[in-house]
Coordinates of all heavy atoms in Angstrom, one line a residue:
D90 N 10.7 19.7 -18.6 CA 10.5 20.8 -17.6 C 9.1 20.7 -17.1 O 8.1 20.9 -17.9 CB 10.8 22.2 -18.4 CG 10.6 23.3 -17.3 OD1 10.5 23.1 -16.1 OD2 10.7 24.4 -17.7
Y91 N 8.9 20.5 -15.8 CA 7.6 20.5 -15.2 C 7.1 21.7 -14.5 O 6.1 21.7 -13.8 CB 7.5 19.3 -14.2 CG 7.4 17.9 -14.9 CD1 8.6 17.1 -15.0 CD2 6.3 17.5 -15.7 CE1 8.5 15.9 -15.7 CE2 6.2 16.3 -16.3 CZ 7.3 15.5 -16.4 OH 7.3 14.3 -17.0
G92 N 7.9 22.8 -14.6 CA 7.5 24.1 -14.1 C 7.3 24.0 -12.6 O 8.1 23.8 -11.7
E93 N 6.0 24.4 -12.1 CA 5.6 24.4 -10.8 C 5.2 23.1 -10.2 O 4.9 23.0 -9.1 CB 4.5 25.5 -10.6 CG 4.8 26.9 -11.1 CD 5.9 27.5 -10.2 OE1 5.9 27.2 -9.1 OE2 6.6 28.4 -10.7
A94 N 5.0 22.1 -11.1 CA 4.5 20.8 -10.6 C 5.6 20.2 -9.7 O 6.7 20.4 -9.8 CB 4.2 19.8 -11.8
V95 N 5.0 19.3 -8.8 CA 5.8 18.7 -7.8 C 6.4 17.3 -8.3 O 5.7 16.5 -8.9 CB 5.0 18.4 -6.5 CG1 5.8 17.6 -5.4 CG2 4.6 19.7 -5.9
V96 N 7.7 17.2 -8.1 CA 8.5 16.0 -8.5 C 8.8 15.2 -7.2 O 9.5 15.7 -6.3 CB 9.7 16.3 -9.2 CG1 10.5 15.0 -9.5 CG2 9.4 17.0 -10.6
M97 N 8.2 14.0 -7.0 CA 8.4 13.2 -5.8 C 8.9 11.8 -6.1 O 8.8 11.3 -7.2 CB 7.1 13.1 -5.0 CG 6.7 14.4 -4.3 SD 5.1 14.2 -3.4 CE 5.6 12.9 -2.2
P98 N 9.5 11.1 -5.0 CA 9.8 9.8 -5.2 C 8.6 8.9 -5.5 O 7.5 9.2 -4.9 CB 10.5 9.3 -4.0 CG 10.1 10.4 -2.9 CD 9.8 11.6 -3.8
G99 N 8.7 7.9 -6.2 CA 7.6 7.0 -6.5 C 7.0 6.4 -5.2 O 7.7 6.0 -4.3
L100 N 5.7 6.3 -5.1 CA 5.0 5.8 -4.0 C 5.2 4.3 -3.9 O 5.2 3.6 -4.9 CB 3.5 6.1 -4.0 CG 3.0 7.4 -3.5 CD1 3.5 8.6 -4.3 CD2 1.6 7.4 -3.4
I101 N 5.4 3.7 -2.8 CA 5.5 2.4 -2.5 C 4.3 1.9 -1.6 O 4.3 2.3 -0.5 CB 6.9 1.9 -1.8 CG1 8.0 2.4 -2.7 CG2 6.9 0.5 -1.5 CD1 9.4 2.3 -2.1
D102 N 3.5 1.1 -2.2 CA 2.3 0.7 -1.5 C 2.6 -0.8 -1.0 O 2.6 -1.7 -1.8 CB 1.1 0.7 -2.5 CG -0.2 0.4 -1.7 OD1 -0.2 -0.1 -0.5 OD2 -1.3 0.7 -2.3
V103 N 2.8 -0.9 0.3 CA 3.3 -2.3 0.8 C 2.1 -3.2 1.1 O 2.3 -4.3 1.6 CB 4.1 -2.0 2.1 CG1 5.3 -1.2 1.9 CG2 3.2 -1.4 3.3
H104 N 0.8 -2.8 0.8 CA -0.2 -3.6 1.1 C -1.4 -3.4 0.1 O -2.2 -2.5 0.3 CB -0.7 -3.3 2.5 CG -1.8 -4.2 3.1 ND1 -2.4 -3.9 4.2 CD2 -2.3 -5.4 2.6 CE1 -3.4 -4.9 4.5 NE2 -3.3 -5.7 3.4
A105 N -1.4 -4.2 -1.0 CA -2.5 -4.1 -1.9 C -2.7 -5.5 -2.4 O -1.9 -6.3 -2.6 CB -2.1 -3.1 -3.1
H106 N -4.0 -5.8 -2.8 CA -4.4 -7.1 -3.3 C -4.8 -7.0 -4.7 O -5.6 -6.1 -5.2 CB -5.6 -7.5 -2.5 CG -5.5 -7.6 -1.0 ND1 -5.3 -8.7 -0.3 CD2 -5.4 -6.6 0.0 CE1 -5.1 -8.5 1.0 NE2 -5.2 -7.1 1.1
L107 N -4.1 -7.8 -5.6 CA -4.5 -7.8 -7.0 C -5.1 -9.1 -7.4 O -5.7 -9.2 -8.5 CB -3.2 -7.6 -7.8 CG -2.6 -6.2 -7.7 CD1 -1.4 -6.0 -8.7 CD2 -3.6 -5.1 -7.8
D108 N -5.1 -10.1 -6.6 CA -5.9 -11.3 -6.9 C -5.8 -12.0 -8.2 O -6.7 -12.4 -8.9 CB -7.4 -10.9 -6.7 CG -7.7 -10.3 -5.4 OD1 -7.6 -10.9 -4.4 OD2 -8.1 -9.1 -5.5
D109 N -4.4 -12.1 -8.6 CA -4.2 -12.6 -10.0 C -2.9 -13.4 -9.9 O -1.9 -12.9 -9.5 CB -4.1 -11.5 -11.0 CG -4.0 -12.0 -12.4 OD1 -4.0 -13.2 -12.7 OD2 -4.0 -11.1 -13.3
P110 N -2.9 -14.7 -10.2 CA -4.0 -15.6 -10.9 C -5.0 -16.0 -9.8 O -4.7 -16.0 -8.6 CB -3.2 -16.7 -11.4 CG -2.1 -16.9 -10.5 CD -1.7 -15.5 -10.0
G111 N -6.1 -16.5 -10.3 CA -7.1 -17.1 -9.3 C -8.3 -16.3 -9.3 O -9.5 -16.9 -9.3
R112 N -8.3 -15.0 -9.2 CA -9.5 -14.2 -9.1 C -9.3 -12.9 -9.9 O -9.5 -11.8 -9.4 CB -9.8 -13.9 -7.6 CG -10.3 -15.0 -6.8 CD -10.6 -14.7 -5.4 NE -11.0 -15.9 -4.7 CZ -10.4 -16.8 -4.2 NH1 -9.2 -16.9 -4.3 NH2 -11.0 -17.9 -3.5
A113 N -8.8 -13.0 -11.0 CA -8.5 -11.8 -12.0 C -9.7 -11.1 -12.2 O -9.6 -9.8 -12.6 CB -7.9 -12.3 -13.2
E114 N -10.9 -11.7 -12.1 CA -12.2 -10.9 -12.4 C -12.4 -9.9 -11.2 O -13.1 -9.0 -11.4 CB -13.4 -11.9 -12.5 CG -13.8 -12.6 -11.2 CD -13.0 -13.9 -11.0 OE1 -11.9 -14.1 -11.7 OE2 -13.4 -14.7 -10.1
W115 N -11.7 -10.1 -10.1 CA -11.8 -9.1 -8.9 C -10.9 -7.9 -9.4 O -11.3 -6.8 -9.2 CB -11.4 -9.8 -7.7 CG -12.3 -10.7 -7.2 CD1 -13.2 -11.5 -7.8 CD2 -12.4 -11.2 -5.8 NE1 -14.0 -12.3 -7.0 CE2 -13.5 -12.2 -5.7 CE3 -11.7 -10.9 -4.6 CZ2 -13.8 -12.9 -4.6 CZ3 -12.1 -11.6 -3.5 CH2 -13.1 -12.5 -3.4
E116 N -9.7 -8.3 -9.6 CA -8.7 -7.3 -10.0 C -7.5 -8.1 -10.5 O -6.9 -8.9 -9.8 CB -8.2 -6.4 -8.8 CG -7.3 -5.2 -9.3 CD -8.1 -4.1 -9.9 OE1 -8.3 -4.0 -11.1 OE2 -8.5 -3.2 -9.1
G117 N -7.1 -7.9 -11.7 CA -6.0 -8.6 -12.3 C -4.7 -7.7 -12.5 O -4.8 -6.5 -12.3
F118 N -3.7 -8.3 -12.9 CA -2.5 -7.5 -13.2 C -2.6 -6.5 -14.3 O -2.3 -5.4 -14.2 CB -1.2 -8.4 -13.5 CG -0.6 -9.0 -12.3 CD1 -0.5 -10.4 -12.2 CD2 -0.2 -8.2 -11.3 CE1 0.0 -10.9 -11.1 CE2 0.4 -8.7 -10.1 CZ 0.5 -10.1 -10.0
P119 N -3.3 -6.8 -15.4 CA -3.5 -5.8 -16.5 C -4.2 -4.6 -16.0 O -3.8 -3.5 -16.4 CB -4.3 -6.6 -17.5 CG -3.9 -8.0 -17.3 CD -3.8 -8.1 -15.9
S120 N -5.2 -4.7 -15.2 CA -5.9 -3.6 -14.7 C -5.2 -2.9 -13.4 O -5.0 -1.7 -13.4 CB -7.4 -3.8 -14.4 OG -7.5 -4.9 -13.4
G121 N -4.9 -3.8 -12.5 CA -4.3 -3.3 -11.3 C -3.0 -2.6 -11.4 O -2.7 -1.6 -10.8
T122 N -2.1 -3.1 -12.4 CA -0.8 -2.6 -12.6 C -0.8 -1.3 -13.5 O 0.3 -0.9 -13.8 CB 0.2 -3.6 -13.1 OG1 -0.3 -4.2 -14.3 CG2 0.3 -4.7 -12.1
K123 N -1.9 -0.9 -13.9 CA -1.9 0.4 -14.7 C -2.0 1.6 -13.6 O -1.6 2.7 -13.9 CB -3.1 0.5 -15.6 CG -2.8 -0.3 -16.9 CD -3.9 -0.1 -17.9 CE -3.6 -0.8 -19.2 NZ -4.7 -0.7 -20.2
A124 N -2.3 1.3 -12.4 CA -2.2 2.2 -11.3 C -1.0 1.8 -10.4 O -0.5 2.6 -9.6 CB -3.5 2.3 -10.5
A125 N -0.6 0.6 -10.6 CA 0.5 0.1 -9.8 C 1.2 -1.0 -10.6 O 0.6 -1.6 -11.4 CB 0.1 -0.4 -8.5
A126 N 2.4 -1.4 -10.4 CA 3.1 -2.5 -11.1 C 3.4 -3.6 -10.0 O 3.2 -3.3 -9.0 CB 4.3 -1.9 -11.8
A127 N 4.1 -4.7 -10.1 CA 3.9 -5.8 -9.0 C 5.1 -6.6 -8.6 O 5.9 -7.0 -9.3 CB 2.8 -6.7 -9.4
G128 N 5.3 -6.9 -7.3 CA 6.2 -7.8 -6.7 C 5.4 -8.5 -5.6 O 4.3 -8.2 -5.5
F129 N 5.9 -9.5 -4.9 CA 5.1 -10.3 -4.1 C 5.5 -10.3 -2.7 O 6.7 -10.4 -2.3 CB 5.1 -11.7 -4.6 CG 4.5 -11.8 -6.0 CD1 5.2 -12.3 -7.0 CD2 3.2 -11.4 -6.2 CE1 4.7 -12.5 -8.2 CE2 2.6 -11.6 -7.5 CZ 3.4 -12.0 -8.4
W130 N 4.5 -10.5 -1.8 CA 4.6 -11.0 -0.5 C 4.3 -12.6 -0.6 O 3.4 -12.9 -1.4 CB 3.7 -10.4 0.6 CG 3.9 -8.9 0.8 CD1 3.1 -7.9 0.4 CD2 5.0 -8.3 1.4 NE1 3.7 -6.7 0.8 CE2 4.9 -6.9 1.4 CE3 6.2 -8.8 2.0 CZ2 5.7 -6.0 1.9 CZ3 7.2 -7.9 2.5 CH2 6.9 -6.5 2.5

Side-chain angles (χ1 to χ4, degrees):
D90 185 4
Y91 286 108
E93 302 290 335
V95 173
V96 175
M97 284 185 60
L100 275 66
I101 297 173
D102 190 342
V103 298
H104 186 191
H106 304 254
L107 294 188
D108 307 297
D109 190 357
R112 291 179 175 82
E114 68 275 14
W115 292 21
E116 187 80 271
F118 282 122
S120 58
T122 57
K123 285 186 176 180
F129 295 120
W130 295 115

